[in-house]
Amino acid sequence: MDTLSYKTISVNKETAKKEWVVIDASGQVVGRLCSKVAKLLRGKYKPSFTPHVDCGDNVIIINASKVVFSGKKETEKLYTRYTGYPGGQRFDTPAKLRLKKDGVERIIRHAVKGMLPKGPLGRHILDNLYVYEGTEHKHEAQKPKAIDINQYK
């Protein structure tokens, strides 16, 4: 047996085959959707996955305003932010965030960010996520392929 034919192939930035995918988020539960999106962004579904390289896909989420929370999270979950001033801690529920501009995008980005690696790699991977509240997006030139997120585990 020739051992040279069994080399482990490590993907780098130049050899990573990144694709553009569109996900319709209508009726999807936020946490379940975001865990699958985080795996797509990271590249975990690819056979050439390399942990220290951005080898995942570029993900476009459309109809983000139609995502749902399970249970009572819509009114009882709290998102905390800090203004930078003393006593400047602010709390929002998902119901309040939906009313604000880019509120739904902040909900989804917050969930996906928590599921990615912490540090420079995770911040770089999060830049490959594009969230739109409606059905229109500006990435038609990349010819994204629509996928059914329910077929992934």
Side-chain angles (χ1 to χ4, degrees), residues 54-105:
D54 175 18
C55 56
D57 296 332
N58 295 299
V59 178
I60 304 164
I61 298 178
I62 57 172
N63 291 325
S65 59
K66 297 179 183 173
V67 294
V68 295
F69 282 90
S70 60
K72 298 180 182 178
K73 293 186 193 85
E74 185 76 35
T75 55
E76 294 183 3
K77 181 177 174 63
L78 285 179
Y79 290 102
T80 306
R81 62 188 173 86
Y82 180 59
T83 63
Y85 290 95
Q89 200 171 26
R90 303 288 185 256
F91 302 97
D92 284 323
T93 62
K96 283 185 191 175
L97 273 178
R98 284 182 192 270
L99 303 175
K100 295 182 180 181
K101 182 183 176 212
D102 295 335
V104 177
E105 179 180 356

Side-chain angles (χ1 to χ4, degrees), residues 133-153:
E133 293 190 21
T135 57
E136 299 297 318
H137 61 86
K138 59 182 182 180
H139 303 284
E140 292 297 333
Q142 282 76 25
K143 298 185 182 91
K145 67 175 187 178
I147 61 169
D148 181 22
I149 197 67
N150 296 324
Q151 71 183 1
Y152 291 93
K153 286 192 173 193

